[in-house]
Amino acid sequence: MWDFPLFPEQASSNAQKVDALMLFEVGILLFFTILICVLILVFSLRFRRGARVDRSHPPTHGKAMETVWIVVPLLLSIVMFVWATRLFYELYEAPPDAAEISVVGKQWMWYLQHPQGRAETNELHVPLGQAVKLNMTSQDVIHSFFIPAFRIKQDVLPGRYTSLWFRPTKVGVYDLFCAEYCGTNHSIMIGKVHVMEPADYEQWLAAKGVGPSQAEEGEQLFVQHHCAGCHRGSQTVSAPRLEGIYGKPVPIQKGKDVGFVTADDRYIRDSILMPKSEVVAGYEPLMPSYKDQISEPDLLKIIAYIKSIATRETSQ
């Protein structure tokens, strides 16, 4: 009975940092709770009815005590705020070399796809020591992607993309949960994260044979849904070219004015599902909406394809 762990196993580079902040805050809480309780008990016993103590000149104020009571909690609060803010940015700013994996939450399962093309359900295989960035969205309701051993949790929302990252530090199998009540079978929306040695991970990726990558599947969908007819060299109507566009500013017509937005995952998704919401300056709003025609996993594949041509130059 004494083997019950107070905390889950630490299995990522950020886990120890999160636990250190948590223990510091719990320590502050316990210190002041015990201090106040002890003082209440001492004063209750010392000044109880019938006790022989001098009550002729009771204190009405104490500037020194008030100053300490204000300054010390303020300084501790600032320390916790700065510490937590710094950790927050570390948790949500992925390293440039992070491998990106797509995640779609749906009632009641997790769909994940690696850039090499291999997909899995309710399981995630990652290599030891490699930073991994998860690009996530929901197909229906709000979910929450939670791996206790990695100390990471992020809401997964319909209609938008969220992300988080981790760097696994221990080989093993770890629990994956949905931490947001998402419907009747919320309790069965669980999975496993497998941290593998890099060589074993490469073997796992190739276990089902070499297939199309996520970007290659996205190119197939790009052609299948007739996007190539307008957005490639043989375009039949005037439409923006997509080579080299990802991550760059795009001019958007806003009435008589022109503004700029970044061509990121959100912009590409909205341009597919709500093409008239942000029309590129100089073009007519002719593109039809693909809402309810392209699934969330397929949208991620198309985005992966557009990312893959980000370094290509547009040829006229």
Side-chain angles (χ1 to χ4, degrees):
M1 63 178 292
W2 302 111
D3 293 333
F4 181 79
L6 185 61
F7 288 95
E9 185 177 0
Q10 294 178 342
S12 77
S13 57
N14 289 320
Q16 188 173 2
K17 299 177 183 178
V18 174
D19 286 354
L21 176 59
M22 179 70 177
L23 289 171
F24 178 78
E25 293 179 348
V26 171
I28 295 297
L29 175 65
L30 290 175
F31 172 79
F32 282 103
T33 300
I34 294 172
L35 174 63
I36 293 170
C37 290
V38 168
L39 289 175
I40 291 174
L41 181 61
V42 169
F43 291 148
S44 297
L45 292 175
R46 184 180 179 188
F47 294 99
R48 70 188 185 278
R49 179 180 297 179
R52 295 182 179 180
V53 291
D54 183 11
R55 295 184 172 88
S56 59
H57 301 286
T60 59
H61 63 279
K63 291 183 178 180
M65 184 180 69
E66 292 175 2
T67 301
V68 171
W69 191 245
I70 292 173
V71 172
V72 172
L74 176 62
L75 292 176
L76 290 173
S77 298
I78 292 174
V79 169
M80 289 187 286
F81 174 79
V82 173
W83 189 350
T85 302
R86 181 177 178 180
L87 182 56
F88 173 85
Y89 281 104
E90 289 182 6
L91 288 172
Y92 286 91
E93 289 188 357
D97 63 341
E100 298 191 15
I101 296 176
S102 299
V103 179
V104 177
K106 59 179 74 174
Q107 294 174 318
W108 287 274
M109 56 170 282
W110 296 106
Y111 170 85
L112 307 99
Q113 185 170 25
H114 299 252
Q116 295 85 350
R118 184 160 183 183
E120 44 188 338
T121 301
N122 292 337
E123 286 191 297
L124 173 60
H125 291 73
V126 292
L128 178 70
Q130 170 67 55
V132 177
K133 180 182 179 182
L134 304 178
N135 297 316
M136 306 182 294
T137 189
S138 170
Q139 189 164 297
D140 36 51
V141 300
I142 298 176
H143 301 282
S144 186
F145 194 92
F146 179 36
I147 307 176
F150 295 171
R151 308 300 193 271
I152 56 171
K153 181 169 67 171
Q154 174 63 56
D155 283 351
V156 181
L157 309 172
R160 58 176 291 188
Y161 293 114
T162 57
S163 66
L164 79 167
W165 77 278
F166 59 87
R167 190 189 303 274
T169 56
K170 289 184 180 180
V171 172
V173 181
Y174 306 100
D175 292 320
L176 163 63
F177 299 106
C178 175
E180 181 78 28
Y181 180 72
C182 54
T184 306
N185 292 326
H186 162 71
S187 61
I188 67 171
M189 193 170 173
I190 56 178
K192 296 292 182 181
V193 179
H194 302 260
V195 179
M196 313 170 73
E197 293 290 350
D200 296 334
Y201 175 72
E202 293 299 328
Q203 292 180 2
W204 175 84
L205 279 177
K208 291 190 176 181
V210 179
S213 67
Q214 188 180 25
E216 290 170 341
E217 289 185 63
E219 184 176 16
Q220 295 172 5
L221 291 165
F222 189 78
V223 174
Q224 176 185 325
H225 289 285
H226 310 293
C227 308
C230 300
H231 293 282
R232 278 187 175 174
S234 58
Q235 59 193 49
T236 56
V237 299
S238 179
R241 298 294 300 277
L242 302 181
E243 293 89 344
I245 193 177
Y246 187 85
K248 304 292 179 58
V250 178
I252 300 298
Q253 194 69 48
K254 298 181 178 180
K256 295 182 179 180
D257 300 324
V258 175
F260 287 85
V261 299
T262 301
D264 55 10
D265 294 21
R266 191 282 310 168
Y267 170 77
I268 296 172
R269 183 184 190 279
D270 288 353
S271 296
I272 296 172
L273 303 184
M274 300 177 292
K276 293 180 174 59
S277 63
E278 294 176 310
V279 179
V280 177
Y283 293 90
E284 295 294 326
L286 302 177
M287 179 174 167
S289 171
Y290 285 87
K291 187 176 181 180
D292 300 326
Q293 299 181 48
I294 303 180
S295 67
E296 292 293 345
D298 285 351
L299 281 170
L300 289 167
K301 293 173 185 177
I302 294 174
I303 292 172
Y305 164 64
I306 295 175
K307 284 183 181 179
S308 73
I309 60 175
T311 56
R312 296 184 192 175
E313 295 293 334
T314 302
S315 57
Q316 301 295 338

